[in-house]
Amino acid sequence: MILPKVEDGIKSSRFGNCVSVLMQVYTSNSEDMTGAAQRSLCDCVIQLLQTQKLKESVWSSKCVSDAFHFLLRLCITPKGKARHFIQEDLTKLIESHHTSHFAFTSREVVAFFSQLNDHYKTTHSGDTDMFYFIGFINLVFPFLDGSVKESLFLLLLEVRLPIVFDVDP
């Protein structure tokens, strides 16, 4: 409620402190956190990220990178409404980066998907997470930088998820 009224310069200069508090709130309440609370938390993190300069040095810094990866992890939350909201909001952020020809976040999306796939291949668990993230890839694909699309396509070809058919005997 308050964050939209705070000037972007303040949000940008206090980014690390704000994100740290938000992540602590999530960490200490993640099991009991409602979907609405997850959506609000995500909205705050995105508002803070929007104030960051579109420079690779800024987005590769630990604090900004951790905040972006936090949102990527929330894209696979089992809470459906929250997941859809988070995926849509993150897509808007990536769309704005695409418009500004900023490819860093596109590379991070593909890297996160690659890590999910590697985890799935080694543990054979997390297929639901993979399905959820593929749904996110579907939303964000038009706004991903062209430099990552070939590697994303090859990664998608590599994914081996079980297909379940519901067949009556």
Side-chain angles (χ1 to χ4, degrees):
M1 288 198 242
I2 296 170
L3 205 52
K5 297 183 187 318
V6 176
E7 292 180 26
D8 284 351
I10 304 271
K11 287 189 268 191
S12 180
S13 67
R14 302 285 185 226
F15 178 84
N17 296 337
C18 293
V19 167
S20 177
V21 168
L22 292 170
M23 296 232 202
Q24 287 174 5
V25 166
Y26 181 78
T27 302
S28 60
N29 298 297
S30 62
E31 291 180 18
D32 301 326
M33 190 170 275
T34 65
Q38 280 186 343
R39 291 191 306 267
S40 294
L41 188 74
C42 168
D43 186 51
C44 289
V45 173
I46 285 180
Q47 285 182 48
L48 291 167
L49 283 172
Q50 288 171 333
T51 66
Q52 299 304 296
K53 293 181 180 174
L54 297 181
K55 293 183 176 180
E56 196 145 336
S57 61
V58 172
W59 281 77
S60 62
S61 70
K62 180 166 177 33
C63 190
V64 176
S65 179
D66 286 352
F68 188 70
H69 284 177
F70 169 73
L71 293 173
L72 290 173
R73 285 190 304 278
L74 284 179
C75 279
I76 56 177
T77 182
K79 297 175 179 163
K81 286 183 181 179
R83 182 179 60 254
H84 293 293
F85 174 86
I86 292 162
Q87 287 181 355
E88 287 175 8
D89 268 14
L90 194 51
T91 298
K92 290 174 189 171
L93 178 70
I94 293 170
E95 180 180 9
S96 72
H97 289 184
H98 174 74
T99 303
S100 299
H101 305 287
F102 185 64
F104 183 82
T105 47
S106 294
R107 291 192 303 271
E108 291 299 301
V109 167
V110 175
F112 184 82
F113 185 50
S114 179
Q115 291 170 356
L116 267 181
N117 189 41
D118 289 345
H119 174 75
Y120 177 74
K121 287 190 302 190
T122 57
T123 65
H124 298 291
S125 66
D127 54 333
T128 303
D129 293 347
M130 290 290 288
F131 282 119
Y132 291 158
F133 205 76
I134 289 171
F136 173 64
I137 294 289
N138 183 51
L139 287 174
V140 79
F141 186 81
F143 311 113
L144 293 177
D145 189 72
S147 65
V148 303
K149 289 188 176 180
E150 181 180 351
S151 59
L152 176 60
F153 181 69
L154 294 172
L155 185 58
L156 285 166
L157 289 174
E158 187 181 300
V159 172
R160 299 281 188 255
L161 291 172
I163 299 176
V164 179
F165 294 100
D166 189 13
V167 180
D168 291 331

